[in-house]
């Protein structure tokens, strides 16, 4: 397999790999994240399989497709990872035909670093799918409560009322003392 290029700063991509492994090997790969024992090369099993160093394992999933019963891999990508529907539908036949185990790798696993991956031949790249971006378009709120100075007002607390009364009394006494000193002088 030719090297798989990851661009610097890549974000919002989901890669799906089919695993051509025994259940035992796939289970070992699933539990072979950052906290798992390292291989002879000093990498985790997942790093070894993808041919990369220092991956963020929180963004790598390895699981049997039978775990997605009722949802399916397409539903998982669309609903679970906000994959762009048009992208996923292009590979509908490939995704539907899969069985066994898969590895789902999000762009965040690469920490924004450019990489050339030498992927284990037992991993077959099925597809790379864009994730929906967050829509930051501002929404104009037109309710009266959204207008400045409008909307529900909280009633004053007893402590606030007491503080205001105390402040008024102190100001009155201060004015009274100043007047008394001025008139007496």
């Amino acid at each position: 397999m030719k090297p798989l290029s990851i661009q610097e700063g890549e974000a919002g991509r989901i890669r799906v790999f089919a695993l051509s492994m025994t259940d035992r090997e796939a289970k070992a790969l699933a539990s072979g994240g950052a906290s798992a024992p390292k291989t002879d090369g000093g990498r985790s099993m997942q790093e070894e399989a993808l041919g990369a160093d220092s991956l963020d394992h929180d963004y790598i999933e390895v699981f049997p497709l039978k775990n997605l019963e009722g949802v399916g891999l397409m539903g998982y990508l669309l609903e679970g990872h906000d994959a762009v529907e048009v992208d996923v539908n292009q590979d509908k036949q490939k995704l539907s035909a899969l069985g066994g185990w898969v590895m789902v790798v999000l762009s965040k696993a690469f920490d924004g670093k450019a990489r050339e991956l030498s992927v284990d031949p037992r991993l077959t790249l099925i597809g790379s799918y864009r994730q929906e971006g967050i829509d930051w378009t501002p929404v104009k709120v037109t309710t009266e409560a959204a207008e400045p100075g409008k909307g529900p007002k909280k009633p004053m607390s007893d402590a606030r009322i007491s503080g205001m009364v105390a402040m008024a009394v102190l100001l009155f006494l201060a004015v009274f003392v100043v007047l008394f000193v001025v008139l007496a002088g």
Side-chain angles (χ1 to χ4, degrees):
M1 175 180 213
K2 69 178 186 171
L4 179 62
S5 296
I6 307 297
Q7 302 300 315
E8 185 169 344
E10 179 186 279
R13 279 252 174 240
I14 308 163
R15 287 181 178 79
V16 176
F17 295 89
L19 305 184
S20 299
M21 303 177 169
T22 65
D23 279 348
R24 185 176 180 178
E25 291 171 324
K27 285 178 186 174
L29 184 59
S31 62
S35 61
K38 304 294 181 195
T39 63
D40 292 337
R43 300 193 285 192
S44 73
M45 290 182 71
Q46 292 175 356
E47 291 168 341
E48 197 72 38
L50 290 169
D53 292 322
S54 65
L55 295 175
D56 188 338
H57 297 278
D58 291 337
Y59 301 102
I60 301 173
E61 300 172 291
V62 180
F63 55 88
L65 287 171
K66 67 182 179 184
N67 288 0
L68 299 179
E69 191 172 312
V71 175
L73 183 55
M74 286 184 57
Y76 179 70
L77 293 172
L78 293 170
E79 298 298 321
H81 287 293
D82 289 329
V84 174
E85 191 169 358
V86 172
D87 291 358
V88 174
N89 282 336
Q90 288 179 349
D91 288 341
K92 186 176 186 173
Q93 288 181 320
K94 285 196 288 186
L95 293 169
S96 298
L98 288 176
W101 288 72
V102 294
M103 176 185 270
V104 176
V105 182
L106 304 181
S107 291
K108 289 184 178 184
F110 304 111
D111 293 323
K113 298 174 186 166
R115 303 184 189 229
E116 289 292 319
L117 305 181
S118 300
V119 179
D120 186 310
R122 297 175 299 168
L123 275 65
T124 303
L125 179 64
I126 300 302
S128 176
Y129 311 103
R130 293 174 295 155
Q131 287 180 293
E132 294 281 353
I134 296 174
D135 183 6
W136 292 103
T137 306
V139 177
K140 183 164 176 74
V141 181
T142 57
T143 63
E144 184 180 334
E147 293 179 28
K150 303 273 180 151
K153 294 187 179 177
K154 292 172 49 176
M156 284 194 258
S157 68
D158 290 341
R160 183 171 177 194
I161 293 171
S162 297
M164 290 172 65
V165 168
M167 182 60 78
V169 169
L170 287 173
L171 284 173
F172 174 74
L173 288 175
V175 169
F176 181 74
V177 169
V178 169
L179 267 172
F180 188 72
V181 170
V182 170
L183 291 177

